[in-house]
């Protein structure tokens, strides 16, 4: 499932493919991913316009068009942007197509949890405005992190709250907690009271994001849940496999309905 690192890679790719280019052809078949405007209105917003900038915040991408128009993209659970040749036919699960003079960018989304939201006059998007600091774009240090962690919910659930930090999901939260040697069921306030733990966690979030981006960077991403995909993570999805640090088998628990993977030896309560 796409989280900050995968969305950052998508953003970099979209910049390479679309920045400064004029959208010569736009295909937007009606689907529930399209929001904020009808497919026809959305096409009219995009067609013939030049892409001025592409930004990311958390798991959201924002495509800024010449003038006021904005197009927000959220990849949901299975969405991805890929580049194809202009002469290539519609792809399986293709939900949007943006062609420039030289290439054809397609948005694929089998499960349709993604979103393409039009803001024709640059209207703010609530989901974007509500995001907390982005660890990559805004930087993250221990003081800033401690100030955002509070309450009796688990540290893992706090890290996944997009208003606390933008971009971490189930995977990056588990990876960062393993790197920082923090038990995922500790409460957020208990972690916040321990400066050494908070420092380790801030560093771990940074390291985990960087590690994942470096490992997955490329023009076409495969998500870990897809059949036959590699698992590029240290602990996520690896219950029963040896901890990369101490070799004890990793375990899986369920928190808030989601799987958490951790090491009982490295991550003591
Ligand atoms: Zn271990």
């Amino acid at each position: 499932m796409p989280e900050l690192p995968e969305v950052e890679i998508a953003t970099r790719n979209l910049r390479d493919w679309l920045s400064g280019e004029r959208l010569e052809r736009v295909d937007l078949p009606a689907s529930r991913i399209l929001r904020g405007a009808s497919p026809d209105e959305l096409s009219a917003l995009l067609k013939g316009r030049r892409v001025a900038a592409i930004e990311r915040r958390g798991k959201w991408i924002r495509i800024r068009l010449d003038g006021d128009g904005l197009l927000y993209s959220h990849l949901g659970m299975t969405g991805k942007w890929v580049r194809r040749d202009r002469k290539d036919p519609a792809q399986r699960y293709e939900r949007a197509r943006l062609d420039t003079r030289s290439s054809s960018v397609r948005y694929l989304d089998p499960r349709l949890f993604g979103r393409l939201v039009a803001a024709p006059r640059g209207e703010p998007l609530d989901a974007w405005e509500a995001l907390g600091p982005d660890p990559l774009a805004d930087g993250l240090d221990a003081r800033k992190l401690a100030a955002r962690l509070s309450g009796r919910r688990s540290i893992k659930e706090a890290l996944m709250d997009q208003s606390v930090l933008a971009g971490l999901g189930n995977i990056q939260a588990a990876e960062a907690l393993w790197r920082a040697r923090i038990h995922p069921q500790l409460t957020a306030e208990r972690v916040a009271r321990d400066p050494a733990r908070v420092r380790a966690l801030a560093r771990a979030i940074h390291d985990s994001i960087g590690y994942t981006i470096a490992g997955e960077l490329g023009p076409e991403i495969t998500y870990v849940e897809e059949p036959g995909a590699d698992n590029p993570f240290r602990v996520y999805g690896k219950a029963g496999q040896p901890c990369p640090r101490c070799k004890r088998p990793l375990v899986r628990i369920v928190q808030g309905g989601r799987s958490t993977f951790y090491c009982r030896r490295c991550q003591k309560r």
Side-chain angles (χ1 to χ4, degrees):
M1 217 153 109
E3 299 183 13
L4 192 158
E6 294 78 16
V7 181
E8 172 66 16
I9 292 168
T11 305
R12 292 182 192 180
N13 288 338
L14 287 172
R15 275 189 202 127
D16 283 350
W17 301 334
L18 297 178
S19 275
E21 299 287 334
R22 195 168 299 284
L23 301 177
E24 294 190 347
R25 172 179 169 179
V26 175
D27 292 354
L28 295 167
S31 79
R32 65 186 168 98
I33 72 157
L34 304 178
R35 302 292 167 108
S38 70
D40 287 349
E41 288 166 334
L42 198 50
S43 296
L45 167 74
L46 297 170
K47 191 146 190 287
R49 301 286 290 279
R50 202 177 63 86
V51 174
I54 300 178
E55 304 149 317
R56 181 195 57 78
R57 188 160 192 87
K59 301 183 208 171
W60 282 93
I61 300 168
R62 182 161 73 180
I63 300 173
R64 189 178 285 284
L65 304 164
D66 262 351
D68 289 335
L70 299 172
L71 178 69
Y72 290 90
S73 163
H74 192 291
L75 305 178
M77 293 175 68
T78 54
K80 58 176 85 171
W81 288 97
V82 299
R83 178 154 73 164
R84 294 288 180 267
D85 202 274
R86 279 185 59 143
K87 64 179 186 302
D88 289 336
Q91 308 289 292
R92 197 172 183 207
Y93 307 122
E94 184 176 305
R95 312 301 182 189
R97 169 176 179 158
L98 307 175
D99 282 12
T100 68
R101 188 168 42 82
S102 57
S103 69
S104 179
V105 176
R106 318 287 178 92
Y107 176 70
L108 316 181
D109 194 344
R111 295 190 60 187
L112 292 164
F113 287 107
R115 295 284 175 265
L116 278 178
V117 188
R121 286 166 297 282
E123 306 89 324
L125 180 73
D126 289 347
W128 175 285
E129 302 300 324
L131 294 170
D134 182 288
L136 191 63
D138 303 324
L140 182 67
D141 60 25
R143 186 175 310 189
K144 195 165 167 181
L145 180 58
R148 305 195 70 80
L149 295 177
S150 60
R152 312 235 354 115
R153 64 180 164 173
S154 72
I155 182 66
K156 193 227 177 186
E157 287 165 292
L159 291 178
M160 291 170 61
D161 180 340
Q162 300 301 294
S163 69
V164 172
L165 285 180
L168 305 192
N170 202 39
I171 299 173
Q172 291 300 316
E175 295 283 298
L177 290 169
W178 175 79
R179 284 173 182 270
R181 301 176 184 243
I182 294 173
H183 193 288
Q185 288 175 321
L186 286 185
T187 64
E189 65 186 7
R190 180 149 166 218
V191 173
R193 282 200 309 267
D194 183 339
R197 273 201 176 119
V198 178
R199 274 198 302 277
L201 182 56
R203 199 165 48 237
I205 290 168
H206 181 265
D207 289 350
S208 179
I209 289 169
Y211 176 87
T212 308
I213 291 174
E216 296 184 332
L217 197 61
E220 192 147 341
I221 203 160
T222 305
Y223 297 131
V224 67
E225 298 84 358
E226 292 180 58
D230 290 334
N231 181 337
F233 303 108
R234 308 303 302 275
V235 297
Y236 178 82
K238 295 194 166 170
Q241 296 184 43
C243 167
R245 207 160 33 213
C246 75
K247 311 303 174 204
R248 184 181 169 139
L250 297 165
V251 296
R252 171 186 173 275
I253 56 171
V254 175
Q255 288 181 280
R258 310 288 301 279
S259 292
T260 298
F261 301 88
Y262 77 104
C263 174
R264 280 202 184 109
R265 183 178 290 161
C266 296
Q267 294 164 267
K268 294 217 164 72
R269 269 183 183 268

